[in-house]
């Protein structure tokens, strides 16, 4: 799989490793799918470089050869043992909406953080109780409520799904065109890479979907309107309050400093995050620009200041020995570091939580850490 950018257009090309046959090519320009496709001559050249490097046991630096790259909707066996290329190309079409959403300017950030994008509903406990009861009545332990690709509530078994499926499933639901109900076959990269599960989705309100991950049962016809009303009609008002949370992530009226233009809160142990660039009515910079600033800042601080969470016992011992050297906060000024100019970006970490803030130019640099620490304390009970 290779990528090439031409005049702001990004092309994603997937080739069969053994034969070089193009499986699909998706293009994106300005954050949206583009009709412009790679010429066949370019595809042939990329394949030639791939085959040449393969013969010399050299791999392209931009290649993505892991089998799980697009395994969510096509089984691992089909990707590693291609028997019928044309059939595989047809099956891969089911992945196009998901792939295009990764190439475009998504409002989500789970692809970068590997944490599940979440929102905080005003009456979370009420929705959690209704969801758990509904999932049990439907005969599955895996259920969630998803608004615009973000998880509102989920059953314990759903939260125990591993990475990347816990990130990909709600992202998939958010990338698909609106539909009243779906019965969608999905492969789980870690849980079940060769045998598909069924992802059942039911639209409760525009933008708000009920998701169930299950086996052969229940049939979609069993989840009729009468069955849905029994569980969800009593909590209709809390459901309605979730719909606006798609872009804001936080409940209406949650107190945030007026200088905050965007925030990313991560719980590194739970692998969940809250991400919004619309906490207030300030117009500049644009939401797209804010997302780019926070994504770039996250990449910077993760690579240079805040190391990844330790995994093995040896890593934890080494991390404990170096704990005194790990910074607790850092900041960056985008543009001139003068009062009233440039954007401020600050990151703080306390325990398993890490907070990144994008702040207006009016916020003085000496106040950044105090503001970020106070905001983290206010947000911690939510995640």
């Amino acid at each position: 799989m290779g990528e090439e950018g031409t005049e702001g257009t990004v092309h994603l090309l997937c080739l069969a490793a053994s034969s070089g046959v193009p499986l699909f090519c998706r293009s994106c320009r300005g954050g949206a799918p583009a009709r412009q496709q790679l010429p066949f001559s370019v595809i042939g050249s990329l394949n030639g470089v791939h085959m040449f490097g393969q013969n010399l046991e050299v791999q392209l630096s931009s290649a993505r050869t892991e089998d799980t790259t697009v395994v969510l909707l096509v089984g691992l066996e089909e990707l590693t043992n291609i028997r019928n290329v044309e059939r595989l190309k047809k099956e891969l079409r089911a992945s196009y909406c998901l792939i295009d959403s990764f190439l475009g300017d998504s409002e989500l950030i789970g692809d970068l953080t590997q944490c599940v994008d979440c929102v905080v509903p005003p009456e979370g406990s009420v929705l959690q109780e209704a969801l758990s009861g509904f999932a049990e009545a439907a005969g599955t332990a895996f259920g969630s409520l998803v608004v615009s690709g973000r998880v509102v509530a989920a059953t314990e078994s759903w939260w125990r799904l591993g990475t990347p499926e816990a990130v990909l499933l709600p992202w998939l639901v958010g990338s698909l065109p609106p539909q009243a109900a779906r019965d969608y076959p999905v492969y789980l990269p870690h849980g079940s890479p060769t045998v598909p599960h069924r992802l059942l989705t039911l639209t409760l309100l525009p933008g708000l979907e009920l998701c169930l991950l299950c086996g052969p049962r229940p049939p979609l016809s069993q989840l009729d309107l009468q069955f849905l009303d029994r569980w969800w009609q009593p909590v209709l008002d809390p459901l309605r309050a979730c719909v606006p949370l798609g872009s804001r992530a936080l409940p209406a009226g949650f107190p945030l400093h007026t200088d905050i233009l965007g925030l990313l809160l991560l719980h590194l142990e739970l692998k969940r995050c809250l991400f919004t660039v619309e906490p207030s009515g300030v117009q500049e910079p644009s939401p797209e620009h804010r997302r780019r600033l926070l994504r770039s800042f996250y990449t910077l601080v993760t690579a240079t200041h805040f190391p990844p969470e330790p995994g093995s016992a040896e890593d934890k011992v080494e991390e404990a020995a170096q704990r005194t050297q790990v910074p607790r906060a850092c900041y960056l000024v985008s543009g001139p570091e003068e009062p009233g100019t440039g954007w401020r970006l600050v990151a703080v970490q306390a325990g398993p939580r890490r907070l990144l803030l994008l702040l207006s130019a009016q916020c003085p640099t000496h106040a950044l850490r105090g503001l970020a620490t106070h905001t983290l304390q206010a947000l911690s009970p939510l995640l």
Side-chain angles (χ1 to χ4, degrees):
M1 186 176 293
E3 296 181 15
E4 175 182 300
T6 57
E7 298 181 353
T9 301
V10 177
H11 303 282
L12 182 63
L13 172 65
C14 183
L15 305 172
S18 57
S19 63
V21 175
L23 299 178
F24 67 81
C25 180
R26 306 302 295 168
S27 300
C28 174
R29 182 181 180 86
R35 294 184 178 181
Q36 178 184 355
Q37 297 293 320
L38 281 177
F40 184 79
S41 58
V42 175
I43 295 177
S45 299
L46 288 172
N47 180 52
V49 174
H50 161 73
M51 298 297 288
F52 178 79
Q54 190 177 48
N55 292 334
L56 298 176
E57 298 183 354
V58 174
Q59 186 173 307
L60 284 173
S61 61
S62 61
R64 303 289 186 270
T65 60
E66 296 180 0
D67 292 326
T68 57
T69 302
V70 289
V71 79
L72 179 67
L73 297 174
V74 179
L76 183 63
E77 183 178 352
E78 284 78 4
L79 288 179
T80 55
N81 188 14
I82 300 175
R83 299 184 182 90
N84 187 322
V85 172
E86 292 305 316
R87 178 183 174 185
L88 176 60
K89 289 166 67 174
K90 183 178 179 181
E91 291 175 342
L92 281 171
R93 291 174 189 166
S95 305
Y96 286 176
C97 287
L98 183 65
I99 293 169
D100 289 347
S101 70
F102 283 127
L103 290 176
D105 183 21
S106 175
E107 295 182 1
L108 307 177
I109 201 169
D111 60 320
L112 182 63
T113 64
Q114 290 302 294
C115 294
V116 180
D117 285 277
C118 300
V119 300
V120 181
E123 299 184 61
S125 59
V126 173
L127 296 176
Q128 185 69 53
E129 183 178 353
L131 175 63
S132 299
F134 179 86
E136 183 178 357
T140 179
F142 299 89
S144 69
L145 288 172
V146 175
V147 58
S148 303
R150 298 168 173 87
V151 174
V152 178
T155 62
E156 291 185 11
S157 295
W158 183 285
W159 284 127
R160 286 199 294 267
L161 290 171
T163 305
E165 44 255 53
V167 174
L168 288 175
L169 285 172
W171 192 304
L172 168 66
V173 173
S175 72
L176 296 173
Q179 205 163 345
R182 304 185 191 91
D183 191 338
Y184 218 77
V186 294
Y187 295 84
L188 306 180
H190 290 307
S192 183
T194 58
V195 178
H197 282 61
R198 294 166 63 224
L199 178 64
L200 306 183
T201 69
L202 299 153
T203 299
L204 301 180
L205 293 170
L208 178 63
E209 299 188 67
L210 170 65
C211 305
L212 300 175
L213 190 63
C214 52
R217 300 190 62 83
L220 188 59
S221 59
Q222 178 182 321
L223 308 178
D224 56 20
L225 186 59
Q226 184 178 2
F227 185 68
L228 287 173
D229 282 348
R230 188 192 319 162
W231 289 96
W232 299 107
Q233 188 65 35
V235 294
L236 187 56
D237 287 340
L239 288 174
R240 286 179 176 144
C242 295
V243 176
L245 296 178
S247 58
R248 196 174 190 274
L250 300 171
F254 186 86
L256 285 176
H257 197 281
T258 55
D259 283 338
I260 297 177
L261 304 178
L263 68 86
L264 170 61
L265 174 65
L266 303 110
H267 196 297
L268 302 174
E269 293 179 356
L270 297 178
K271 293 293 183 182
R272 304 175 197 175
C273 67
L274 299 174
F275 180 49
T276 179
V277 293
E278 301 181 23
S280 63
V282 180
Q283 299 299 316
E284 295 295 336
S286 68
E288 294 78 14
H289 190 192
R290 297 183 196 189
R291 282 192 288 270
R292 286 194 293 270
L293 286 170
L294 277 169
R295 289 177 72 96
S296 298
F297 188 53
Y298 172 83
T299 302
L300 173 67
V301 300
T302 302
T304 59
H305 300 300
F306 301 121
E309 289 298 287
S312 65
E314 292 80 4
D315 290 339
K316 293 180 180 179
V317 171
E318 183 179 353
E319 192 269 346
Q322 298 177 353
R323 189 178 299 273
T324 57
Q325 303 176 16
V326 176
R328 300 297 176 91
C330 62
Y331 77 91
L332 174 70
V333 176
S334 176
E337 191 171 356
E338 300 173 2
T341 61
W343 314 113
R344 276 76 167 127
L345 292 141
V346 58
V348 293
Q349 181 158 331
R353 293 178 179 86
R354 182 181 302 165
L355 176 66
L356 284 72
L357 294 178
L358 171 64
L359 299 160
S360 72
Q362 308 306 318
C363 187
T365 54
H366 65 80
L368 294 178
R369 181 172 181 176
L371 174 56
T373 301
H374 176 77
T375 304
L376 179 57
Q377 292 171 348
L379 291 171
S380 292
L382 304 182
L383 188 64

